Amino acid sequence: MSEPKAPTPAPGDTYKGWLFKWTNYIKGYQRRWFVLSNGLLSYYRTQAEMGHTCRGTINLATANIAVEDSCNFVISNGGTQTYHLKASSEVERQRWITALELAKAKAFRMQAESDDSGDDSTPPAAGQGAGSRNSEVQSTLRTLGSKVEDLSTCNDLIAKHGSALQRSLSELEGVRLGGETSEKIRQVTERATLFRITSNAMINACRDFLALAQTHSKRWQKALQAEREQRVRLEETLEQLAKQHNHLERAFRGATVLPASQSNPAIDSKGPVSGKGDASDEDEENEFFDACEDVQEFITVPADPKYHRRSGSNVSGISSELGMDDGTTSLDEQSLASNPESPQSQELVPVRKRRTRIPDKPNYSLNLWSIMKNCIGKELSKIPMPVNFNEPLSMLQRLSEDLEYYELLDRAAKCQSSLEQMCYVAAFTVSSYSTTVHRTGKPFNPLLGETFELDRVQESGYRSLCEQVSHHPPAAAHHAISERGWTLRQEIALASKFRGKYLSIMPLGSIHCIFEKSTNHYTWKKVTTTVHNIIVGKLWIDQSGEIDVVNHKTGDRCHLKFAPYSYFSRDVARKVTGVVTDKDGKAHYVLSGTWDEKMEYSRVMQSSRGGENGADGRQKTVYQTLKAKELWRKTPLPEGAENMYYFSTLALTLNELEEGVAPTDSRRRPDQRLMEQGRWEEANAEKQRLEEKQRTVRREREREANRAASPSEEGKESADGAEEVEIASEPSETTYKTDTDETSSDLSLSTETLHGSHPPAYSMEGPYGAPVKSGHQDNYKSMWFEQLVDPVTGEPTHIYKGGYWEAKEQGNWDSCPDIF
């Protein structure tokens, strides 16, 4: 925030600054310039628009100001106008709330004074308000009485003339006339009588109204006077509270300023929350409020006030209530408040400077005819997909981006409690989706045997290796190990369903995270990724589904729910909620946030049934929680990211050339390198060459496998096959079974936006944990991974067998195939 403003503005001052305003579910929060002046809050797109174009204004005199969480607040004037706003920090939000409350109090008072002066021709004195209101009511009653008298006079005239009319008609009846004439006269007489009855009824109703008004006039006067006095009291109370709030904020800022010798630069850099003193930390620990709100599963309410009397010395008592009576420090005091990275450790060894930019994405228009003319006369399986739909990264590199927020696992490795550790692991699972919100480009499908090495030992203490272990169906194995005590491994395959307007990508395969010190073994699966507006419109991505993070050692579990986007939902977009429970099902923490911004946690002090009934008729669980604290927050994208495929800081470095990597590394892929350099036509030609080369190699491998299979061996395999158990997945609804390698995946998936693919077909044999024999005809074996039955989940998976880093140290890559 660079806007000039005083920290504690006076009620009459003009207050200006940048805020993020919610626009719609497509664009989300947008940065706008807000100006508060004379009780009116106006906003503009830029400061330059202040002189000519106002985008909207709301009157604070009739507005309601509500605080949602640490940075969000809502201003509404009763339904016609509602502003959902977000400040850059909690302190910034509090400054705006203080300024808005002071401005609202003054605007409310000025409006009341103007209303009083406009009611009468001369402004009444302060002591004459009640008399003025009384005279107004009396004047209204006199007016009503005069109107009723006028109606009564009209009635007399009607009765007089009606009687005369009836006498005249009676005289006419005495005259001997024809039968038809007598009938008409009789009808006129009846109508005149009905007219007189109606007039009498009208007069009676008006008299009743006048009597009722006179009877209740005193009651009206008393009620009006009471409302006026109550309004005055509320104005005075609101103004007093706003001044006290302003005073407390100034006192708080003055009390939390530390001397330069005591301040920790690493903690100060985290923001105002991390820089609080010890006293404020204790207050923050004992403050209770609603941690999150998921109307479909549970409800959170502030905990019982008795917990306010608990001091920091008896936190161990609370820990014992939560089942953490092992003498360990709680998550609130140690894990979250501490800086996860040691500044000294980062200064020991100079690290390599990574690149921060790549060439801007060219503004090439997509010419459909140029694509179609290359397809004339070709088989469907031979149609190449242009790089126009891609981004200059492979699927293996996208898989490595799961380690963007590796520091969450570093923190988890330091936790003494498995429940605390579960919170960080759950936040890590959510953080892996934060890079997908704007990334609508399709990554390059890896060639069979392609690898990607991510060595960040010096900077971050970990290194990882990915390999494309299967191509029909596509599957990639990933192994990452850290010097800070954790290992991550996964094998991801994709199943896709095309629904016309959108494409659903269902990940298949489990992710494993093992901590060396505690030997805790966590597993989870990924949620469904949906790419909308496939045919027409701007592409946008949503994540939806549920994740169960399971600790197989202790039985702890975290159930995360990714809420799907809905036009009719009033909740925040991309919301994620979760509950951490122990093996007995007792809730200990509630998680909430969004998968593209941040995650927070709240400790559960008590839970009970008795909330509102859900859609299935069952009562929801009510959790009494402590104040929420932040677990993870997304790092802002680098400057100019919109011109660089919306790459994050890590993604910009993934395709940077490095020495010593394997010849099969994605960095050495020529078509991907040409696309990054903006040479898309050459990249398309190189992509077709690589695909054709892979087809040729595969056909040769299949021919060799067929020659190696003798008739006697085939008979033996047939006899042994009776004991094999086939585990095959159902084919995707839109998967085109072709004979190609690269292009078949392009045709079956219009994007592999992240995690997942079609599951491999396996046949398991041998004892528990033995190697698994592939059912594919070419019998391809991966270079660095071995296919085994996982001892925890029982699923066939590829596990790193070693040898890569040793080969790199020796510089010996003779065993690597020539795939490029």
Side-chain angles (χ1 to χ4, degrees):
M1 289 288 184
S2 59
E3 65 277 5
K5 54 183 177 292
T8 54
D13 293 344
T14 299
Y15 196 61
K16 305 177 182 179
W18 290 103
L19 288 173
F20 292 91
K21 180 181 179 295
W22 177 261
T23 56
N24 52 55
Y25 286 104
I26 303 300
K27 296 184 178 179
Y29 284 95
Q30 297 293 323
R31 197 164 180 251
R32 298 289 184 261
W33 179 257
F34 280 81
V35 177
L36 174 60
S37 179
N38 297 326
L40 299 176
L41 180 65
S42 306
Y43 74 93
Y44 312 82
R45 286 190 177 177
T46 61
Q47 300 183 44
E49 285 189 350
M50 290 181 59
H52 54 85
T53 304
C54 179
R55 300 292 175 176
T57 301
I58 191 170
N59 189 356
L60 295 179
T62 58
N64 179 38
I65 304 173
V67 178
E68 288 189 336
D69 55 24
S70 59
C71 295
N72 294 36
F73 58 98
V74 179
I75 304 176
S76 174
N77 63 354
T80 57
Q81 286 179 299
T82 301
Y83 292 170
H84 294 266
L85 305 176
K86 180 170 66 174
S88 59
S89 63
E90 186 174 358
V91 174
E92 187 64 23
R93 185 220 64 188
Q94 192 55 53
R95 290 174 177 172
W96 273 101
I97 293 296
T98 301
L100 290 169
E101 288 177 348
L102 293 174
K104 179 180 177 181
K106 183 176 181 180
F108 195 87
R109 184 171 60 253
M110 293 176 62
Q111 184 179 20
E113 294 174 357
S114 63
D115 291 343
D116 293 343
S117 62
D119 290 340
D120 301 309
S121 58
T122 58
Q128 298 176 352
S132 174
R133 296 289 182 180
N134 189 18
S135 62
E136 180 182 356
V137 174
Q138 293 296 336
S139 175
T140 303
L141 292 177
R142 285 195 298 269
T143 303
L144 290 175
S146 64
K147 296 298 182 181
V148 173
E149 290 177 358
D150 294 340
L151 291 174
S152 179
T153 302
C154 293
N155 181 71
D156 293 339
L157 293 175
I158 291 173
K160 178 180 178 181
H161 294 296
S163 299
L165 178 60
Q166 287 183 349
R167 285 196 300 271
S168 300
L169 293 175
S170 298
E171 292 174 357
L172 288 175
E173 288 179 356
V175 179
R176 295 182 178 273
L177 298 174
E180 183 179 354
T181 305
S182 301
E183 180 64 22
K184 291 183 179 180
I185 294 175
R186 187 181 64 79
Q187 292 177 358
V188 173
T189 303
E190 290 178 356
R191 292 173 182 174
T193 303
L194 292 173
F195 177 70
R196 186 182 63 180
I197 294 173
T198 303
S199 299
N200 290 333
M202 181 185 64
I203 294 299
N204 292 334
C206 292
R207 286 174 177 172
D208 293 342
F209 170 73
L210 178 60
L212 183 64
Q214 290 174 345
T215 303
H216 292 81
S217 62
K218 294 182 179 180
R219 184 180 301 174
W220 292 345
Q221 294 174 14
K222 292 181 180 179
L224 185 62
Q225 181 63 21
E227 291 292 336
R228 179 176 178 81
E229 293 175 354
Q230 184 179 7
R231 185 177 68 176
V232 172
R233 287 195 300 270
L234 288 175
E235 291 177 6
E236 295 174 352
T237 303
L238 181 61
E239 185 174 359
Q240 184 178 4
L241 287 175
K243 292 180 179 179
Q244 292 177 357
H245 197 174
N246 208 352
H247 174 72
L248 289 174
E249 184 183 7
R250 290 196 301 269
F252 174 77
R253 284 199 300 271
T256 56
V257 175
L258 297 176
S261 60
Q262 298 180 3
S263 61
N264 189 343
I267 297 179
D268 292 342
S269 64
K270 296 295 182 182
V273 177
S274 301
K276 293 180 181 179
D278 295 338
S280 61
D281 285 342
E282 183 176 352
D283 295 338
E284 190 172 305
E285 174 74 20
N286 294 327
E287 184 175 355
F288 302 86
F289 83 117
D290 292 352
C292 66
E293 182 179 359
D294 189 338
V295 296
Q296 298 183 359
E297 293 191 357
F298 55 84
I299 303 173
T300 57
V301 297
D304 195 287
K306 66 183 179 181
Y307 295 109
H308 282 281
R309 294 191 293 271
R310 300 198 179 197
S311 61
S313 60
N314 61 0
V315 173
S316 59
I318 300 178
S319 301
S320 63
E321 293 180 9
L322 298 174
M324 298 183 296
D325 52 356
D326 54 355
T328 60
T329 308
S330 68
L331 175 65
D332 305 306
E333 294 183 357
Q334 175 185 349
S335 304
L336 187 66
S338 63
N339 193 344
E341 299 179 0
S342 174
Q344 290 80 6
S345 63
Q346 296 181 358
E347 297 175 358
L348 292 177
V349 180
V351 297
R352 172 181 174 179
K353 185 177 180 180
R354 306 284 178 177
R355 69 179 184 180
T356 58
R357 288 197 62 85
I358 62 174
D360 289 350
K361 178 181 180 181
N363 189 18
Y364 293 154
S365 60
L366 184 61
N367 189 345
L368 294 179
W369 169 244
S370 63
I371 300 175
M372 296 302 297
K373 70 179 182 180
N374 294 328
C375 304
I376 298 176
K378 293 185 179 181
E379 298 178 7
L380 179 62
S381 61
K382 302 294 182 66
I383 298 176
M385 297 298 293
V387 299
N388 302 61
F389 300 104
N390 289 45
E391 63 179 17
L393 289 179
S394 74
M395 189 63 189
L396 301 180
Q397 292 166 317
R398 288 290 293 269
L399 199 60
S400 301
E401 283 190 66
D402 283 359
L403 299 172
E404 176 93 25
Y405 298 97
Y406 67 92
E407 65 270 8
L408 291 170
L409 296 182
D410 291 347
R411 297 187 198 180
K414 299 178 182 178
C415 292
Q416 302 297 323
S417 168
S418 62
L419 294 170
E420 299 173 5
Q421 194 175 70
M422 175 67 80
C423 292
Y424 285 110
V425 174
F428 176 78
T429 65
V430 177
S431 69
S432 63
Y433 297 96
S434 63
T435 60
T436 69
V437 62
H438 299 298
R439 301 274 292 278
T440 57
K442 187 183 86 66
F444 280 79
N445 289 336
L447 303 175
L448 188 61
E450 184 176 335
T451 61
F452 177 71
E453 163 202 336
L454 182 62
D455 192 344
R456 293 291 188 271
V457 174
Q458 290 187 355
E459 302 98 317
S460 309
Y462 73 87
R463 58 186 181 184
S464 76
L465 177 67
C466 291
E467 182 181 359
Q468 186 77 358
V469 296
S470 172
H471 208 78
H472 282 290
H478 181 207
H479 179 84
I481 186 169
S482 173
E483 296 178 344
R484 298 169 187 173
W486 55 265
T487 301
L488 184 76
R489 60 178 173 86
Q490 58 182 321
E491 179 178 344
I492 293 299
L494 295 172
S496 63
K497 291 183 179 179
F498 183 62
R499 301 292 191 180
K501 293 184 178 179
Y502 62 91
L503 178 74
S504 296
I505 304 172
M506 288 74 68
L508 302 168
S510 298
I511 305 172
H512 299 254
C513 185
I514 304 100
F515 292 95
E516 179 181 352
K517 183 178 180 181
S518 62
T519 68
N520 288 329
H521 190 142
Y522 296 86
T523 63
W524 67 91
K525 296 180 182 293
K526 290 185 176 292
V527 296
T528 299
T529 298
T530 306
V531 186
H532 295 268
N533 295 340
I534 292 293
I535 305 300
V536 178
K538 183 179 180 181
L539 292 175
W540 62 280
I541 295 174
D542 192 24
Q543 312 286 350
S544 61
E546 299 181 1
I547 295 178
D548 282 316
V549 185
V550 181
N551 185 340
H552 293 273
K553 178 183 177 182
T554 64
D556 300 338
R557 183 181 296 267
C558 177
H559 181 74
L560 293 171
K561 182 175 182 180
F562 288 65
Y565 167 78
S566 173
Y567 283 103
F568 306 102
S569 175
R570 299 181 61 185
D571 213 338
V572 62
R574 309 182 184 98
K575 185 176 182 181
V576 181
T577 56
V579 180
V580 176
T581 58
D582 57 22
K583 63 180 180 179
D584 298 323
K586 180 181 178 182
H588 291 266
Y589 293 98
V590 172
L591 306 180
S592 63
T594 57
W595 54 263
D596 67 325
E597 184 179 1
K598 66 176 180 179
M599 285 297 294
E600 296 177 337
Y601 82 100
S602 302
R603 182 189 295 173
V604 176
M605 306 306 299
Q606 188 177 356
S607 63
S608 61
R609 290 280 182 176
E612 300 176 357
N613 291 335
D616 54 358
R618 295 182 301 176
Q619 286 186 327
K620 304 173 188 175
T621 303
V622 180
Y623 296 120
Q624 296 185 13
T625 61
L626 292 173
K627 181 178 180 179
K629 291 188 177 182
E630 190 173 280
L631 279 170
W632 159 78
R633 178 176 290 275
K634 179 183 177 182
T635 303
L637 294 176
E639 185 179 358
E642 64 276 4
N643 300 322
M644 300 183 292
Y645 308 89
Y646 288 98
F647 281 178
S648 63
T649 303
L650 175 63
L652 289 173
T653 67
L654 294 180
N655 207 40
E656 186 177 8
L657 288 173
E658 293 188 14
E659 297 181 358
V661 298
T664 56
D665 197 274
S666 299
R667 300 176 181 89
R668 300 183 182 273
R669 182 165 175 166
D671 55 348
Q672 185 174 304
R673 179 66 56 188
L674 289 170
M675 182 191 176
E676 180 185 290
Q677 296 172 355
R679 300 154 62 182
W680 285 16
E681 292 185 3
E682 299 176 55
N684 282 322
E686 191 65 23
K687 183 171 180 287
Q688 295 183 42
R689 183 189 67 83
L690 291 175
E691 293 168 3
E692 186 59 36
K693 179 179 180 180
Q694 184 171 226
R695 295 189 195 102
T696 303
V697 172
R698 183 190 179 196
R699 286 193 292 266
E700 181 63 27
R701 190 167 56 245
E702 290 176 350
R703 282 194 295 267
E704 292 179 358
N706 291 333
R707 287 195 298 266
S710 62
S712 59
E713 292 178 352
E714 291 178 358
K716 182 180 179 181
E717 288 181 2
S718 177
D720 295 340
E723 297 181 358
E724 294 181 354
V725 181
E726 292 291 336
I727 303 178
S729 65
E730 297 180 0
S732 172
E733 294 184 6
T734 58
T735 302
Y736 300 95
K737 297 296 184 180
T738 64
D739 219 8
T740 65
D741 290 294
E742 173 74 15
T743 54
S744 64
S745 300
D746 282 328
L747 290 172
S748 62
L749 297 178
S750 65
T751 180
E752 293 140 327
T753 306
L754 273 185
H755 325 287
S757 152
H758 301 288
Y762 299 112
S763 60
M764 295 189 299
E765 62 179 2
Y768 186 70
V772 178
K773 184 177 68 177
S774 173
H776 298 305
Q777 188 177 5
D778 59 4
N779 292 327
Y780 173 80
K781 292 183 179 180
S782 57
M783 186 73 188
W784 310 109
F785 289 81
E786 183 180 8
Q787 195 175 36
L788 302 171
V789 175
D790 187 86
V792 175
T793 63
E795 300 174 350
T797 185
H798 281 81
I799 298 178
Y800 178 64
K801 62 182 179 181
Y804 179 88
W805 305 108
E806 293 78 5
K808 182 180 180 181
E809 291 178 1
Q810 299 173 4
N812 183 9
W813 302 110
D814 296 339
S815 58
C816 292
D818 180 16
I819 61 175
F820 298 142

